[in-house]
Amino acid sequence: MNIIVTIFLLLLPVFLLLVRRRRSSKRVPPGSLGFPVIGQSLGMLRAMRANTAEKWLEERVQKYGPISKLSLFGKPTVFIYGQAANKFVFTSDGSVLTNQQTQSVKMILGDRCLLELNGEDHKRVRDALVSFLKPDSLKRYVGEMGDEVRIHLETYRKGKQIIKVLPLMKTLTFNIICSLLFGLERGARRDQMVHYFQQMIEGIWSIPINFPFTRFNRSLEASKDAQKMLKQLISEKRHELNNNLASSHQDLITCLLSISGENNQELISENEIIHNVMLIMIAGHDTSSVLITFMVRLLAKNANIYAAVLKEQEEIAQSKSPGESLTWEDLGNMKYTWRVAMETMRMFPPIFGGFRQTVKDIEYGGYLIPKGWQIFWVTAKTHMDSSIFQEPEKFDPDRFETPASLPPYNFVPFGGGARICPGYEFAKIETLVTIHYLVTHFTWKLCCTDDFFSRDPMPAPTQGLPVQIIPRKPL
């Protein structure tokens, strides 16, 4: 009898451990992790490029429910969606979720950009960026931004031409960023920088296997080249500051170099400047250009909305003297135009979704999400939810007439909470200024009635959205 008791006592801890593991494994969300490393990455990327990503995710929801596990870009992942999920992602502090992206993003953009930083480091770098990107600082650049837009659009003033809107807008937004944020003048160096960033973007969402001649490999090489160029640019800016040849708020780089901590030491490291400059370039280059492109498409297809935008913008144009630039006050009068932009982002969000990583084992929705797993959230799952937005397939800017009435964490094109995009105001100015000069100086007709667009990872209309553009009056 004593032997039996002894054996029982010896085996009891093993039994309890097995029971605990069995219970824990049952609490992990349902789903499959698929093949090692690859997981469901290829399936999701194919769905994004075929514009069926929302359907692909909905099939997961129908099969597994609102919370499910999968493997994306080399890591076990839990997909969640809805207002509560958005709030959880955007309000959880660093003790629950860390702001860590996929390995491909980290390797291309660097580990000191805002997408990777947490806690005090995140606050320090974000505050530094916001010191330049806040409205009070950006007011002075409205006129200069208008000049960049006019110079860019001047090419298309004479005669009827067929242009592709997306490449045109990508070049425009990149020129604006180079001129106003980084003080990089037009010329061969800026053109080379455009080339590097286009290659970097192609591999942002990739399986992080660095084989030669793959998209990911090309993106990594382009990232290295861009970082070398930015390092040289920073060196030049530092020299100008040290010799009183530049002001501390001449551009974003001089602003970051001028921020000092104790004993006049630079508060932001060179790597943090480089990595965040690359982040802002990619975010500003792609997101704003995508938004403006889809606005052009939607205005061409909605005559009443186009007429309302044109009326608002013509009233502003008529209040200006010949050659007079737009002002911050003018942008404040573009309320309807911005509602059109918000509705465009609701239906066609430039950012499909994003990732966080668990710092510890956490419980969410009745399931256990293990430490180190990714959390994957998707913008469109609330933007196109009929319980939040009535008739979500209908383009209706008036639903944003009183945006304060919209419950928080349902409309999240720029994120939310403490991690809302610091470039939000810059993107808003860029969009409003561009649309002003487009609608007041040009009309256009779609040359492709195909509504298809792919995500790679940003949405891109068929053939870059070719339109026949017709000048209305000189710029």
Side-chain angles (χ1 to χ4, degrees):
M1 187 69 177
N2 290 336
I3 295 175
I4 296 174
V5 172
T6 302
I7 293 173
F8 175 78
L9 291 174
L10 288 172
L11 292 178
L12 182 61
V14 177
F15 174 77
L16 292 174
L17 179 61
L18 291 173
V19 170
R20 187 179 295 118
R21 283 184 176 177
R22 182 174 298 174
R23 285 177 179 173
S24 296
S25 65
K26 285 184 178 180
R27 294 180 60 206
V28 172
S32 168
L33 296 179
F35 292 108
V37 181
I38 296 174
Q40 287 80 14
S41 304
L42 294 178
M44 192 185 77
L45 290 173
R46 279 196 299 267
M48 290 178 69
R49 289 165 191 159
N51 193 23
T52 58
E54 286 85 353
K55 180 182 177 183
W56 186 84
L57 288 170
E58 185 56 35
E59 288 174 354
R60 290 194 61 82
V61 172
Q62 294 299 323
K63 186 175 182 179
Y64 299 116
I67 306 171
S68 62
K69 72 173 183 285
L70 67 163
S71 176
L72 291 176
F73 311 118
K75 294 195 70 173
T77 304
V78 172
F79 165 60
I80 61 176
Y81 74 91
Q83 182 189 27
N86 291 341
K87 183 177 180 180
F88 171 66
V89 167
F90 295 129
T91 61
S92 292
D93 61 28
S95 67
V96 178
L97 297 180
T98 186
N99 199 26
Q100 190 166 347
Q101 298 301 303
T102 64
Q103 190 66 13
S104 57
V105 172
K106 181 178 180 179
M107 292 174 70
I108 292 169
L109 292 184
D111 59 5
R112 300 304 296 174
C113 76
L114 274 186
L115 296 179
E116 293 292 325
L117 298 178
N118 292 281
E120 287 302 313
D121 280 345
H122 181 275
K123 183 179 186 304
R124 173 177 53 82
V125 174
R126 191 182 193 282
D127 287 349
L129 293 173
V130 169
S131 70
F132 185 86
L133 295 171
K134 62 186 179 183
D136 285 347
S137 297
L138 294 175
K139 288 179 182 179
R140 72 188 77 175
Y141 297 106
V142 174
E144 292 179 50
M145 197 176 291
D147 292 340
E148 279 286 340
V149 173
R150 285 202 298 266
I151 291 170
H152 195 71
L153 297 180
E154 180 68 27
T155 310
Y156 309 99
R157 187 176 65 81
K158 297 178 181 179
K160 298 180 180 180
Q161 297 188 30
I162 305 296
I163 66 166
K164 293 185 177 182
V165 178
L166 184 57
L168 172 68
M169 290 303 136
K170 284 190 174 187
T171 305
L172 169 60
T173 54
F174 196 88
N175 283 335
I176 290 172
I177 289 170
C178 284
S179 292
L180 303 188
L181 294 190
F182 310 124
L184 189 58
E185 300 299 325
R186 293 174 183 272
R189 187 158 64 161
R190 185 193 284 192
D191 294 339
Q192 189 63 53
M193 186 71 83
V194 171
H195 173 70
Y196 291 151
F197 274 85
Q198 287 172 341
Q199 285 197 315
M200 286 168 60
I201 291 167
E202 289 179 2
I204 283 290
W205 278 18
S206 301
I207 297 171
I209 301 176
N210 188 15
F211 288 152
F213 311 113
T214 62
R215 285 159 58 107
F216 184 57
N217 175 262
R218 289 194 298 271
S219 294
L220 284 177
E221 293 303 313
S223 175
K224 293 176 185 177
D225 291 333
Q227 290 185 60
K228 289 178 185 177
M229 187 175 286
L230 288 170
K231 191 169 185 176
Q232 177 61 34
L233 184 62
I234 290 169
S235 177
E236 294 169 10
K237 298 288 183 184
R238 186 179 281 115
H239 174 77
E240 291 174 2
L241 282 169
N242 292 339
N243 290 275
N244 297 318
L245 299 174
S247 68
S248 61
H249 268 67
Q250 180 171 300
D251 51 56
L252 178 62
I253 292 178
T254 60
C255 176
L256 295 177
L257 287 171
S258 301
I259 298 174
S260 58
E262 295 180 3
N263 301 321
N264 286 327
Q265 291 183 334
E266 290 180 353
L267 191 65
I268 310 298
S269 71
E270 186 171 276
N271 272 348
E272 286 170 342
I273 294 176
I274 291 173
H275 294 175
N276 285 286
V277 162
M278 293 202 303
L279 170 62
I280 290 172
M281 276 189 163
I282 283 185
H285 175 247
D286 255 28
T287 54
S288 296
S289 59
V290 165
L291 169 57
I292 296 167
T293 298
F294 276 86
M295 287 181 73
V296 167
R297 187 177 82 154
L298 288 162
L299 290 173
K301 297 173 68 174
N302 294 270
N304 292 339
I305 293 171
Y306 171 82
V309 169
L310 179 61
K311 180 176 182 295
E312 181 175 80
Q313 297 299 337
E314 284 284 17
E315 288 175 356
I316 293 169
Q318 290 166 9
S319 70
K320 317 296 290 183
S321 303
E324 185 181 357
S325 298
L326 289 172
T327 65
W328 181 258
E329 289 70 27
D330 293 326
L331 301 186
N333 292 324
M334 300 181 185
K335 293 182 174 58
Y336 184 78
T337 305
W338 187 241
R339 292 207 296 271
V340 172
M342 293 175 76
E343 177 68 345
T344 304
M345 288 186 287
R346 183 190 67 81
M347 295 187 71
F348 307 101
I351 303 297
F352 181 73
F355 296 88
R356 297 289 189 272
Q357 181 173 296
T358 55
V359 174
K360 58 186 179 182
D361 289 358
I362 61 173
E363 288 197 20
Y364 179 85
Y367 294 103
L368 171 73
I369 304 178
K371 176 184 177 180
W373 281 34
Q374 290 182 146
I375 301 288
F376 178 45
W377 58 273
V378 175
T379 309
K381 292 299 288 183
T382 51
H383 286 194
M384 299 302 289
D385 187 333
S386 59
S387 67
I388 300 169
F389 298 99
Q390 293 185 359
E391 298 182 83
E393 301 293 337
K394 179 182 178 182
F395 187 74
D396 181 14
D398 288 339
R399 69 174 88 240
F400 289 101
E401 190 168 3
T402 54
S405 64
L406 182 67
Y409 303 106
N410 282 327
F411 179 65
V412 289
F414 292 99
R419 293 189 179 275
I420 193 167
C421 174
Y424 167 79
E425 289 292 344
F426 184 86
K428 182 176 181 179
I429 297 169
E430 195 174 34
T431 301
L432 292 175
V433 170
T434 302
I435 292 296
H436 171 80
Y437 286 109
L438 273 175
V439 300
T440 56
H441 293 83
F442 299 92
T443 59
W444 58 89
K445 296 179 181 178
L446 297 179
C447 296
C448 179
T449 57
D450 184 356
D451 274 343
F452 178 81
F453 68 92
S454 64
R455 286 186 176 273
D456 197 18
M458 303 286 184
T462 301
Q463 301 172 34
L465 192 66
V467 301
Q468 181 185 35
I469 192 164
I470 307 162
R472 297 179 68 236
K473 60 183 179 181
L475 281 157

